[in-house]
Amino acid sequence: MFYPVLRSLLFAVLFSIVTAHSRSLDLPVQFDERAQKSPRKVDVHAHYYTPFYLQSLKDAGYSAIDLVPYIPAWNITTQLAYMNKNGIDKTILSITSPGTFLKANDTAQALAVTHDVNDYASALKKKYPSRIGFFASIPLPLIQESITEIDRALDKLHADGIALLSNHHGVYLGNPLLAPVLAHLNKRKAIVFVHPTTPCIKQYLDSCPAGSNPDPLRDAPLQDSYITPMMEYFYDSTRSFVDLLLTGTAAAQPQIRWIVTHSGLALPSVLDRAAQFSVYDFPNLTGRKVVPITPDQIRALFKRSFWFDLAGMSVPNLVLDVLRWSSEEKILYGSDTPFTDLAGTNEMDQEGRLGKLFDQKVVAGIVGGNAARLLGL
């Protein structure tokens, strides 16, 4: 009858020893017991810079990125502080526009930059495994080099997925040139996060990405008046995802799990029209084969293979638009740091505004549960 009492005393003594020993360890300042459990809040849309990447941008002529006249300061200390302040248990970092192939035809620099940013993020994940993950960059439009980097990133660096841009030097997602890369991503059952970038006009392919382009009107109208992220990010990503759908590429690669940024961009507004036009045999000058698709088929694809993040003023309006094509289980939280001020107090209070639209269970899924299931956390 005394065995339970003795067992309890023994456990108490052992716990005291283990606790005392753990206090002597040099645990990182950012250690947080929340992170040892299933994460409550997961940020799938956050960006980072490395010293080599910043220098490479400068060397490639980037005095501004997509007409944004500054590159926000970033380091892992401020990122972790922001996460702690805003209750974010885990953040998945990625390189934003203009990606890692910074200068047309400079393959050596593209490979060096790609390896640097992926190695850097992998080291952060190793140091903070419960707090930091990353989507690895690849040097598109280089095909074999991108396939090699996919395997290195997923197998050696333990990336959580792969980051693409809406176009890579004018190559959009439905372009047949990308077929080997997308087939390999499908084989690897990869998560693919697609971030917007500046449009790349055909006659300027030799100088895409734009870099310190002195004539922003060459990329899109009104670029001299409004920075690219305001409108062209939405339009370019929408262009690329429509291309992905209408060429049958998304349907042909069923194992890829796509993350569409900014709550679906302008997609919800154009999908009915895109589906309607897909049945017509209009002239095609690029060699693409347009595959007829219906709105119901698009919804089925979205249900199977597409998730949508909330980065950048998606609540309350944009999220309701995308829900006409998808469901609450496919919505993910995104902060868009460091473009959301890392010193900010409440990352634009997405969670609070979601609470005005959805019940507590749905909000819990959007801010963390959905991403945890997608990422296998």
Side-chain angles (χ1 to χ4, degrees):
M1 65 182 290
F2 294 104
Y3 288 156
V5 175
L6 291 173
R7 188 164 56 226
S8 298
L9 288 171
L10 178 61
F11 282 158
V13 171
L14 288 173
F15 180 78
S16 298
I17 293 171
V18 171
T19 302
H21 178 65
S22 68
R23 286 170 181 161
S24 70
L25 297 177
D26 184 20
L27 294 174
V29 174
Q30 291 83 6
F31 178 79
D32 190 331
E33 289 183 0
R34 291 174 310 157
Q36 305 308 302
K37 307 172 185 176
S38 180
R40 186 195 74 85
K41 193 170 185 178
V42 182
D43 181 359
V44 301
H45 190 139
H47 304 302
Y48 70 106
Y49 296 100
T50 75
F52 182 72
Y53 184 64
L54 291 172
Q55 183 60 49
S56 298
L57 286 170
K58 183 178 178 180
D59 294 344
Y62 285 81
S63 58
I65 294 177
D66 299 335
L67 303 181
V68 178
Y70 66 93
I71 297 174
W74 182 90
N75 61 63
I76 189 58
T77 301
T78 54
Q79 182 69 51
L80 289 166
Y82 175 88
M83 291 166 61
N84 291 338
K85 189 173 187 178
N86 289 285
I88 300 169
D89 297 302
K90 187 151 190 169
T91 290
I92 311 300
L93 298 171
S94 59
I95 291 294
T96 185
S97 177
T100 58
F101 203 139
L102 300 175
K103 196 171 183 180
N105 304 314
D106 194 340
T107 299
Q109 187 201 48
L111 294 177
V113 172
T114 301
H115 293 161
D116 171 75
V117 299
N118 290 342
D119 290 343
Y120 190 96
S122 179
L124 290 178
K125 181 175 181 176
K126 185 176 182 180
K127 186 173 184 179
Y128 307 104
S130 60
R131 308 303 306 277
I132 298 295
F134 75 105
F135 296 134
S137 297
I138 58 176
L140 285 175
L142 300 175
I143 301 303
Q144 187 53 54
E145 293 88 342
S146 292
I147 291 173
T148 299
E149 187 63 11
I150 288 167
D151 288 337
R152 188 180 85 94
L154 296 177
D155 296 333
K156 182 179 179 180
L157 303 182
H158 308 295
D160 297 277
I162 302 297
L164 303 183
L165 296 175
S166 53
N167 80 82
H168 290 267
H169 295 227
V171 179
Y172 286 82
L173 292 177
N175 194 310
L177 291 172
L178 296 186
V181 173
L182 296 182
H184 195 67
L185 289 168
N186 185 70
K187 178 181 177 182
R188 297 303 309 262
K189 300 181 180 180
I191 296 171
V192 177
F193 172 89
V194 181
H195 195 277
T197 190
T198 294
C200 189
I201 307 303
K202 184 176 181 180
Q203 60 264 40
Y204 297 112
L205 287 178
D206 287 342
S207 58
C208 284
S212 55
N213 170 24
D215 181 16
L217 280 174
R218 73 173 203 180
D219 295 316
L222 292 179
Q223 286 278 81
D224 55 346
S225 300
Y226 304 106
I227 61 173
T228 305
M230 179 178 172
M231 290 186 289
E232 294 307 322
Y233 268 16
F234 273 43
Y235 302 153
D236 201 63
S237 277
T238 297
R239 181 180 297 116
S240 208
F241 277 107
V242 168
D243 194 31
L244 187 78
L245 293 167
L246 266 59
T247 55
T249 305
Q253 311 296 352
Q255 301 300 324
I256 296 177
R257 291 164 289 169
W258 301 94
I259 297 179
V260 186
T261 62
H262 303 294
S263 202
L265 311 145
L267 272 173
S269 297
V270 303
L271 285 174
D272 280 316
R273 189 172 180 83
Q276 180 184 19
F277 276 83
S278 73
V279 303
Y280 298 113
D281 187 22
F282 288 123
N284 188 322
L285 303 179
T286 64
R288 283 169 170 76
K289 178 177 173 57
V290 176
V291 177
I293 191 169
T294 67
D296 285 343
Q297 288 172 327
I298 292 173
R299 287 187 175 89
L301 281 172
F302 284 1
K303 181 178 181 179
R304 183 192 73 193
S305 303
F306 285 76
W307 284 255
F308 303 85
D309 80 37
L310 294 180
M313 304 305 295
S314 293
V315 183
N317 297 314
L318 287 176
V319 66
L320 297 179
D321 290 339
V322 80
L323 286 176
R324 292 187 285 110
W325 293 91
S326 188
S327 63
E328 292 96 342
E329 293 79 13
K330 292 303 187 79
I331 307 300
L332 311 173
Y333 167 76
S335 70
D336 213 359
T337 55
F339 295 92
T340 296
D341 185 5
L342 281 168
T345 58
N346 62 0
E347 37 77 50
M348 297 183 290
D349 192 29
Q350 278 199 38
E351 197 168 353
R353 284 181 281 129
L354 285 168
K356 297 178 181 179
L357 299 176
F358 307 109
D359 63 36
Q360 186 175 357
K361 183 178 179 181
V362 171
V363 173
I366 291 173
V367 300
N370 299 342
R373 285 188 291 273
L374 172 63
L375 294 161
L377 302 178

